[in-house]
Amino acid sequence: MNDDAQTPLLRVRNVTKTYGGRIGCADVSFDLWPGEVLGVVGESGSGKSTLLGVLAGQLVPDRGEVIFDTRADGPRDTITMSEPERRMLARTDWAFVHQNPRDGLRMNISAGGNVGERLMAVGARHYGNIRSAAADWLGRVEIDELRIDDRPQAFSGGMQQRLQIARNLVTGPRLVFMDEPTGGLDVSVQARLLDLLRGLVRDMGLSAIVVTHDLAVVRLLADRLMVMKSGRVVEAGLTDQVLDDPQHAYTQLLVSSVLQV
Amino acid sequence: MTDQAYNFTYLDEQTKRMIRRAILKGIAIPGYQVPFASREMPMPYGWGTGGVQVSAACLVPEDVFKVIDQGADDTTNAVSIRKFFARTAGVATTEHTGEATIIQTRHRIPEEPLTEDQILVYQVPIPEPLRFLEPRETETRKMHALEEYGLMHVKLYEDIARHGHIATAYAYPVKVEGRYVMDPSPIPKFDNPKLDGSPAIQLFGAGREQRIYAIPPYTKVVSLDFEDHPFEASKADHPCDLCGAENSYLDEVIIDDAGSRMFVCSDTDFCNSRQALGHRGRLSPEDAA
């Protein structure tokens, strides 16, 4: 898939974000290719979420470029583009899956309404079509269609997370940001969610950036891996290569810290 | 009759200028909520302090003033506001829609078509149509600025999903001149079509929320809907029991403890005028003559 003739979907150069004197992330550069899943791992406070926030247009970096290959105008720097354009991207070509589904869902609106919101935000005005698209997506994330009018409050944690994924993918985005998508779920639900995500990513040819501290998640999902520590990328490479033969001392520590059952 | 202790229409001239500036800006940008420095009025919030301030800024001594509350001229709110301006401005008041030059209203648009010589002033409790969907004011302002109105349809979607039809019956959101989504104040959706292309100036004042917005004359006002669930201006399916009108908005009144009820025009002036012309309904008193 890493065909040099292609343009990378996302091109990140020297992104630096500080909070006052403290470093959020520093000099992060990488390319993300269409259809590729990039894992970002590191301990708490290593700058993973800051990096994701900058890439998704939620935080303004101090320095650096985030160049996204837009459908209409080709590569554009999302940091310097106007806010309406960036918000439009966030509604159409991007998706953001939060760790806590409560942050990504409207809890007092039915599952169907949650999935339909992005469709309505881009101009869908036919109730029947919105509803059938919502029903279709609930099916794809393994939620019973009968629950389309239930509110997310009535859903289990795993279902809420799957609903959040449906809500994000309904407009056919090209780039998905995931912040600890399996955090807070028990292992069997995690496994099911990962299975589902892997299927969707492969079927839809999505590119994704997955931030997590869980090495099992990246092992299953990610093609490539970046290891972060204290705001900097300390090691990057193919997932299996990094996990099986870690070079940097911190990565070695990280890999050896995983509990073996 | 004017109480000499007060300035004309109670508010001082600088305050009225400030409100007029907000009104002019509102008219220049139809449907846009203009912030203004709402004053403390001698009545509680919720009694129409926004409408009163807008009326005060618009009134001139030659005006004829009418106030309706849910269509009626004789309810507490209407009577007290009418007396307030009769006393502080000394303007003539009327109960007849056709004679009035400024009409302050709560929750209704008069049945009688308005003219170019009239101003309709609405009392608004919550000016922000997106309030209950997105509580952050910073976010709703951004949504208005960027025309991100998909969320408004989520509300209508929820209505249909839950009730099978758009169940919102009042404060039904509208799009003004193809740009701003606006809350028309809690008028019944039956009145929404009257907002569209009205020859009268329509001003909206929200006192507690400190916002003024406006619809200039002959402005396009469209009620939001879905292609397969179009907007419908609904009313109780009865004629008026006093004047027999088939096409006016009706109040349902319980008249005994056995569940009997009558339907009467909510616009009292409209109903009285029809009765004076000899129209009769099911429960009209027998003619003495």
Side-chain angles (χ1 to χ4, degrees):
Chain A
M1 219 164 273
N2 294 13
D3 182 354
D4 283 328
Q6 283 182 308
T7 343
L9 186 65
L10 192 72
R11 203 179 165 81
V12 178
R13 289 291 174 270
N14 303 318
V15 164
T16 302
K17 166 81 185 166
T18 54
Y19 299 103
R22 274 188 291 279
I23 291 175
C25 62
D27 288 325
V28 179
S29 302
F30 65 91
D31 288 340
L32 183 75
W33 298 85
E36 187 183 34
V37 178
L38 176 71
V40 181
V41 294
E43 61 193 358
S44 297
S46 60
K48 318 183 290 279
S49 296
T50 298
L51 177 64
L52 199 67
V54 169
L55 300 182
Q58 294 165 356
L59 297 172
V60 182
D62 302 341
R63 276 198 307 284
E65 292 178 334
V66 179
I67 295 163
F68 179 73
D69 186 17
T70 59
R71 279 183 225 231
D73 311 319
R76 298 272 314 273
D77 190 342
T78 63
I79 291 159
T80 53
M81 72 167 46
S82 72
E83 190 177 10
E85 289 177 296
R86 193 161 52 234
R87 284 172 69 112
M88 190 64 188
L89 272 185
R91 287 204 299 275
T92 53
D93 268 356
W94 294 352
F96 198 107
V97 178
H98 294 263
Q99 171 174 13
N100 186 341
R102 277 158 209 280
D103 297 334
L105 291 173
R106 291 190 189 276
M107 298 305 282
N108 53 356
I109 284 182
S110 69
N114 265 297
V115 178
E117 181 180 344
R118 270 171 80 105
L119 292 172
M120 291 182 248
V122 294
R125 293 292 179 265
H126 189 284
Y127 176 80
N129 295 350
I130 294 168
R131 198 167 169 83
S132 51
D136 174 45
W137 267 98
L138 289 184
R140 288 167 81 164
V141 296
E142 299 165 20
I143 295 174
D144 191 341
E145 232 181 84
L146 294 172
R147 311 230 26 199
I148 188 165
D149 291 331
D150 289 352
R151 295 179 183 195
Q153 280 141 341
F155 287 6
S156 69
M159 282 171 80
Q160 288 181 357
Q161 195 57 286
R162 277 180 275 141
L163 179 62
Q164 193 194 179
I165 289 163
R167 168 187 159 90
N168 273 294
L169 297 188
V170 66
T171 47
R174 293 189 299 156
L175 176 56
V176 186
F177 301 101
M178 295 187 224
D179 191 2
E180 308 269 8
T182 58
L185 301 176
D186 67 58
V187 278
S188 61
V189 176
Q190 264 189 31
R192 199 162 149 215
L193 187 76
L194 284 173
D195 211 33
L196 178 79
L197 271 177
R198 197 157 56 154
L200 288 171
V201 164
R202 295 286 176 263
D203 291 349
M204 298 177 71
L206 294 174
S207 303
I209 297 178
V210 185
V211 159
T212 181
H213 57 254
D214 188 341
L215 292 182
V217 170
V218 288
R219 173 79 93 175
L220 278 171
L221 276 181
D223 302 311
R224 239 166 8 113
L225 195 59
M226 284 197 330
V227 183
M228 290 185 74
K229 185 176 188 307
S230 311
R232 292 176 189 277
V233 176
V234 294
E235 187 165 356
L238 296 175
T239 304
D240 291 343
Q241 183 190 341
V242 173
L243 292 183
D244 294 343
D245 183 17
Q247 300 295 312
H248 191 273
Y250 173 70
T251 318
Q252 291 169 355
L253 179 72
L254 201 66
V255 171
S256 63
S257 307
V258 175
L259 286 175
Q260 303 292 333
V261 188
Chain B
M1 269 257 294
T2 306
D3 204 316
Q4 291 305 313
Y6 292 117
N7 189 32
F8 178 71
T9 72
Y10 182 79
L11 289 174
D12 63 273
E13 294 303 316
Q14 286 305 319
T15 299
K16 285 195 273 181
R17 286 184 67 182
M18 174 272 292
I19 295 172
R20 285 175 198 139
R21 279 197 293 266
I23 292 172
L24 286 173
K25 183 168 179 182
I27 287 176
I29 317 171
Y32 171 71
Q33 299 168 44
V34 185
F36 79 110
S38 179
R39 296 291 191 254
E40 204 64 28
M41 297 302 282
M43 61 184 72
Y45 287 127
W47 284 36
T49 52
V52 165
Q53 289 178 77
V54 171
S55 294
C58 292
L59 276 169
V60 293
E62 298 76 35
D63 270 325
V64 182
F65 191 58
K66 170 183 161 85
V67 190
I68 50 175
D69 172 6
Q70 306 267 13
D73 288 277
D74 49 6
T75 51
T76 317
N77 194 271
V79 171
S80 64
I81 292 175
R82 192 162 58 231
K83 274 171 71 182
F84 176 74
F85 281 118
R87 180 162 169 202
T88 59
V91 292
T93 59
T94 181
E95 295 196 355
H96 297 298
T97 304
E99 292 170 7
T101 53
I102 295 187
I103 303 171
Q104 183 171 333
T105 177
R106 171 173 178 263
H107 297 191
R108 272 315 304 281
I109 298 175
E111 303 289 353
E112 188 177 327
L114 301 175
T115 67
E116 290 182 358
D117 300 324
Q118 293 177 311
I119 298 176
L120 187 59
V121 177
Y122 296 78
Q123 303 169 194
V124 181
I126 293 168
E128 179 51 73
L130 301 161
R131 172 70 49 88
F132 293 108
L133 301 155
E134 174 54 68
R136 288 169 295 178
E137 182 86 17
T138 48
E139 189 63 21
T140 55
R141 282 200 213 181
K142 205 170 267 181
M143 290 160 81
H144 281 295
L146 304 178
E147 259 185 287
E148 291 179 1
Y149 289 131
L151 200 51
M152 208 69 247
H153 274 84
V154 174
K155 176 184 153 70
L156 301 179
Y157 172 94
E158 286 292 287
D159 262 9
I160 304 174
R162 225 167 281 163
H163 306 285
H165 60 100
I166 299 179
T168 302
Y170 64 94
Y172 192 102
V174 293
K175 192 164 215 178
V176 183
E177 205 61 28
R179 177 59 180 86
Y180 282 97
V181 165
M182 188 192 91
D183 183 338
S185 87
I187 59 171
K189 66 177 170 184
F190 174 80
D191 282 341
N192 270 22
K194 295 183 202 157
L195 294 164
D196 181 36
S198 168
I201 295 178
Q202 301 177 79
L203 305 176
F204 298 77
R208 184 190 56 212
E209 303 276 332
Q210 315 201 321
R211 293 289 184 278
I212 285 172
Y213 50 103
I215 304 177
Y218 304 110
T219 301
K220 198 172 147 212
V221 180
V222 180
S223 304
L224 301 180
D225 59 6
F226 285 105
E227 288 156 16
D228 47 347
H229 286 265
F231 170 78
E232 207 179 321
S234 59
K235 67 183 269 288
D237 190 18
H238 291 271
C240 172
D241 283 334
L242 293 179
C243 76
E246 301 272 358
N247 53 358
S248 74
Y249 191 73
L250 302 173
D251 286 338
E252 184 177 4
V253 185
I254 308 283
I255 48 179
D256 60 25
D257 57 4
S260 309
R261 58 201 61 204
M262 68 189 291
F263 290 90
V264 291
C265 295
S266 92
D267 186 336
T268 51
D269 172 51
F270 178 78
C271 199
N272 292 339
S273 315
R274 277 178 56 88
Q275 289 178 58
L277 289 172
H279 293 283
R280 288 291 175 269
R282 186 174 62 93
L283 296 173
S284 296
E286 296 295 319
D287 275 324

